[in-house]
Amino acid sequence: MTRRLLSGDYPRSRMLATLLLLILAGLAFAPFAFPGTRSLDVAAKVCVFILLVASYDLLLGYTGIVSFAHTMFFGIGAYGIAIAATRLGPTWGSLVLGSLVALACSALLSLLIGMLSLRVKTIFFAMITLAVASFFAILASQLSGFTGGEDGLTYKLPQLLLPGTKLLEAPLFGVEINGRIVSYYIVFFTAAALFLALLRVVNSPFGRVLQAIRENDFRAEAIGYRSVIYRSVANCVAALAASAAGILYALWLRYAGPDTTLSFDIMIDILLMVVIGGMGTMYGAVVGATLFVIAQTYLQDLMKLASDAAAGIPLLPDLVHPDRWLLWLGILFILSVYRFPAGIVGKLRGRQ
Amino acid sequence: MSNLLALSGVNTRIGHYHILQGVDFVVPQGGFTMLLGRNGAGKTTCLRTIMGLWKASAGRIDFDGADIAGRSTPAVAQLGIGYVPESMGIFAGLTVRENLTLAARDGPIDEKRLDWMFGLFPALKKFWHLPAGHLSGGQKQMLAIARAMIEPRKLLLVDEPTKGLAPAIIAHMVEAFRELKRTDTTILLVEQNFNFARSLGDTVAVMDSGRIVHSGNMGELAGNEALQYRLLGLSLDAHQ
């Protein structure tokens, strides 16, 4: 059962397996173990980013494609839900329609980008994706009548997913079971299922060909594999998964805007998460996204505690002042990349 | 004996350089043809042009009755041509098993053929689940050859399989190729080690400055030292 679920790709490190189980348990029981709006927001964001980062790992880690258009596909998913819910009303039908249109757009656009530009060298492909993604972001902010422009779109969801909807009369383990909990579990189970599907893809014969192309595309061609076709399909699968992550994020936030889905900052975050977790491992997406999102959310709180505790000591309170959280986040990332050049998963697996 | 491969008037340019300047030679069906020549004569370019990795700017490459010049590399490979490049080109991050599974394009590896392959290269069985990057130079070369042979191919192109290998490994390689020869596989092998070439080749073509300067039976060249010296010069001395 476990073998089939993980497609035979075990963590191959006791410490990594423990870490993954802890993350899985933490996310599965988040509404009960960490009650509160903020912690549930963090857990949902972790689920969405695990899927988003895993889909980027399929591109960067397994196929060797550097793309800056990943947030564009993430945004297409989010805007698909947002536009459908705004225009057609908060019904399940509009959500399904919005999702399907978004996925179809992503598939078409990614195949088009892939077939037209994956023949060029890595750096040129990266530049093309950067240009397309920038164009799309500008388009989203300019078409304000359709996309809400810089303000984005805020919309309602079907009754079942609203915070005011109570599913049980009495609280369960002290937590009120409402539409927010239903939304969270939709995000959690969909992200988990799609992550396992991506794990299946990279461990399939198709995934092996992608790794062969990443290592030596001429040699893969000499064996008889058309690298452009394989790269384009990988690009399309990754785009679909990124769009699915966007759909989940839009379901959770009930808002879609350029800053939450299309910004270049998110692209940089994804790259950092892949590198910190470990490229070409899939499990690196789980570890990288969890650590990054938690650090991004709670570092300021931790620093406030440290700053208060160090009151009276010269210089130290200023150094760990919450306003300097980005500086410390940066230092933490530099240290982690220096300490774990193959990523955390690579390092843990290397120990075995 | 009919010819499986025939090159006529093949020209290849790489940038401003005119590397192949009208190459003509044939590879008989079921035979072992050696392509010899000094460094820079154009032997590797010749194999790469056959595989479509470099495009021929002029001439014909007839394989099994069809002109394959200008076809894409995957299309050439799918016709049944296996290629073992000089750099071996193994996928270092994949295991020995995965390397061979990838090469078996038409489905799962045939068990009988795999057993036969293990007989030729026992090290591959021993390191079946090891990433190929951890193998020694000789083992990597064995894997590269095994990968080209894992499915029956009509033609096998092998580029300098003995380069940088210890004499004991070369002797093992000779045995492996002899075994392969018994299966009637047609092989075109580029080599600088004349002793190796002499022990295996049926026919020979010698290149110099992008042209074929001699072709015929290996026995004829092997028995004529003056011809050897004239055609192969220092490269012969270096390997004797």
Side-chain angles (χ1 to χ4, degrees):
Chain A
M1 176 71 177
T2 316
R3 186 183 168 78
R4 282 190 68 184
L5 263 179
L6 302 180
S7 308
D9 187 355
Y10 294 110
R12 301 203 302 273
S13 151
R14 257 186 224 155
M15 205 184 275
L16 177 60
T18 312
L19 189 61
L20 291 172
L21 281 174
L22 277 175
I23 293 171
L24 177 67
L27 292 175
F29 302 109
F32 307 101
F34 315 107
T37 313
R38 193 179 180 204
S39 50
L40 203 58
D41 267 341
V42 172
K45 192 174 176 185
V46 168
C47 292
V48 169
F49 273 80
I50 285 175
L51 176 59
L52 185 60
V53 175
S55 64
Y56 195 66
D57 196 24
L58 170 68
L59 277 188
L60 183 66
Y62 284 87
T63 321
I65 297 173
V66 181
S67 166
F68 291 114
H70 216 57
T71 44
M72 177 180 78
F73 297 116
F74 185 53
I76 288 175
Y79 273 100
I81 287 279
I83 293 168
T86 311
R87 302 256 156 181
L88 306 173
T91 62
W92 289 103
S94 67
L95 295 190
V96 171
L97 184 68
S99 305
L100 289 178
V101 170
L103 291 172
C105 283
S106 290
L108 207 66
L109 199 58
S110 61
L111 274 179
L112 209 63
I113 293 175
M115 298 301 270
L116 292 179
S117 42
L118 275 172
R119 287 174 196 277
V120 298
K121 287 197 186 304
T122 314
I123 186 69
F124 298 116
F125 178 75
M127 292 300 107
I128 290 168
T129 57
L130 185 60
V132 174
S134 304
F135 171 75
F136 196 85
I138 292 168
L139 204 67
S141 64
Q142 295 296 312
L143 293 174
S144 50
F146 194 55
T147 61
E150 289 295 331
D151 296 332
L153 292 169
T154 308
Y155 44 89
K156 282 186 176 172
L157 291 176
Q159 190 68 33
L160 179 67
L161 304 179
L162 296 179
T165 307
K166 274 190 190 176
L167 273 89
L168 294 178
E169 283 303 317
L172 187 68
F173 303 117
V175 176
E176 187 182 87
I177 305 300
N178 58 21
R180 241 9 217 161
I181 306 283
V182 175
S183 296
Y184 175 77
Y185 278 108
I186 288 176
V187 170
F188 171 75
F189 283 113
T190 313
L194 290 176
F195 175 81
L196 291 175
L198 286 174
L199 200 60
R200 180 79 201 101
V201 168
V202 298
N203 287 292
S204 66
F206 172 76
R208 298 281 174 251
V209 177
L210 293 184
Q211 289 170 68
I213 289 170
R214 178 198 64 195
E215 285 200 22
N216 190 335
D217 58 345
F218 284 119
R219 185 66 201 125
E221 292 236 321
I223 291 177
Y225 297 107
R226 292 179 189 278
S227 59
V228 173
I229 305 276
Y230 278 87
R231 279 191 177 132
S232 299
V233 173
N235 197 32
C236 184
V237 172
L240 284 173
S243 289
I247 289 168
L248 295 179
Y249 206 36
L251 272 181
W252 179 253
L253 291 180
R254 287 170 290 164
Y255 165 78
D259 290 343
T260 53
T261 54
L262 291 171
S263 84
F264 195 68
D265 289 351
I266 299 175
M267 194 62 241
I268 300 290
D269 290 351
I270 296 170
L271 266 169
L272 282 169
M273 289 182 217
V274 171
V275 172
I276 290 167
M279 275 194 286
T281 60
M282 276 293 151
Y283 294 117
V286 180
V287 177
T290 307
L291 291 182
F292 192 97
V293 173
I294 288 176
Q296 217 177 23
T297 316
Y298 293 110
L299 194 63
Q300 258 180 308
D301 297 352
L302 279 177
M303 286 177 66
K304 186 170 180 354
L305 283 176
S307 180
D308 292 346
I313 304 171
L315 205 66
L316 200 59
D318 285 340
L319 211 58
V320 292
H321 193 276
D323 286 352
R324 297 201 170 79
W325 73 281
L326 257 178
L327 169 78
W328 286 101
L329 194 65
I331 290 173
L332 275 178
F333 293 141
I334 292 169
L335 284 177
S336 69
V337 171
Y338 181 73
R339 188 84 183 83
F340 310 116
I344 295 169
V345 171
K347 178 81 176 178
L348 291 176
R349 280 181 165 171
R351 272 185 173 188
Q352 290 302 102
Chain B
M1 197 184 287
S2 63
N3 296 323
L4 181 63
L5 180 76
L7 279 76
S8 41
V10 172
N11 281 260
T12 302
R13 293 169 194 273
I14 302 173
H16 295 299
Y17 300 97
H18 192 177
I19 309 293
L20 300 188
Q21 303 175 15
V23 170
D24 301 278
F25 74 94
V26 294
V27 175
Q29 178 94 44
F32 212 125
T33 302
M34 293 291 173
L35 186 58
L36 308 179
R38 294 181 176 90
N39 275 336
K43 306 182 296 293
T44 296
T45 305
C46 195
L47 294 195
R48 290 176 68 89
T49 304
I50 296 168
M51 280 309 296
L53 289 162
W54 296 122
K55 298 292 171 215
S57 54
R60 281 180 69 90
I61 304 172
D62 289 297
F63 172 74
D64 210 12
D67 184 8
I68 61 169
R71 291 199 192 182
S72 71
T73 304
V76 172
Q78 282 162 12
L79 289 172
I81 302 183
Y83 176 48
V84 183
E86 189 183 352
S87 57
M88 295 177 262
I90 56 153
F91 304 117
L94 303 183
T95 63
V96 170
R97 183 183 71 82
E98 287 166 343
N99 265 275
L100 289 178
T101 308
L102 265 177
R105 281 193 324 265
D106 299 336
I109 301 175
D110 179 59
E111 290 297 322
K112 271 188 184 169
R113 198 161 177 91
L114 189 63
D115 285 342
W116 173 70
M117 198 76 74
F118 284 154
L120 289 179
F121 307 118
L124 299 185
K125 189 175 187 178
K126 189 175 169 189
F127 300 119
W128 190 232
H129 293 291
L130 192 74
H134 295 186
L135 299 175
S136 70
Q139 289 161 350
K140 281 178 186 163
Q141 188 61 274
M142 289 172 195
L143 175 60
I145 295 167
R147 209 172 47 184
M149 292 164 29
I150 194 70
E151 279 182 344
R153 307 270 188 239
K154 290 178 185 165
L155 173 67
L156 204 55
L157 307 179
V158 189
D159 197 354
E160 293 204 44
T162 64
K163 194 177 181 184
L165 298 185
I169 309 269
I170 293 176
H172 184 82
M173 208 67 87
V174 170
E175 284 312 309
F177 276 115
R178 283 214 174 105
E179 182 62 33
L180 191 61
K181 207 172 161 181
R182 280 184 209 116
T183 63
D184 282 337
T185 309
T186 308
I187 299 173
L188 172 62
L189 195 144
V190 164
E191 190 52 71
Q192 290 215 46
N193 182 334
F194 186 66
N195 286 333
F196 181 84
R198 181 165 51 188
S199 62
L200 289 166
D202 300 316
T203 55
V204 63
V206 182
M207 284 190 82
D208 192 23
S209 304
R211 288 191 180 89
I212 298 292
V213 290
H214 172 86
S215 60
N217 289 328
M218 178 57 91
E220 184 193 337
L221 180 63
N224 188 338
E225 280 190 24
L227 186 62
Q228 287 170 28
Y229 189 78
R230 182 167 66 81
L231 293 173
L232 301 166
L234 287 174
S235 63
L236 171 61
D237 295 339
H239 289 283
Q240 275 194 330

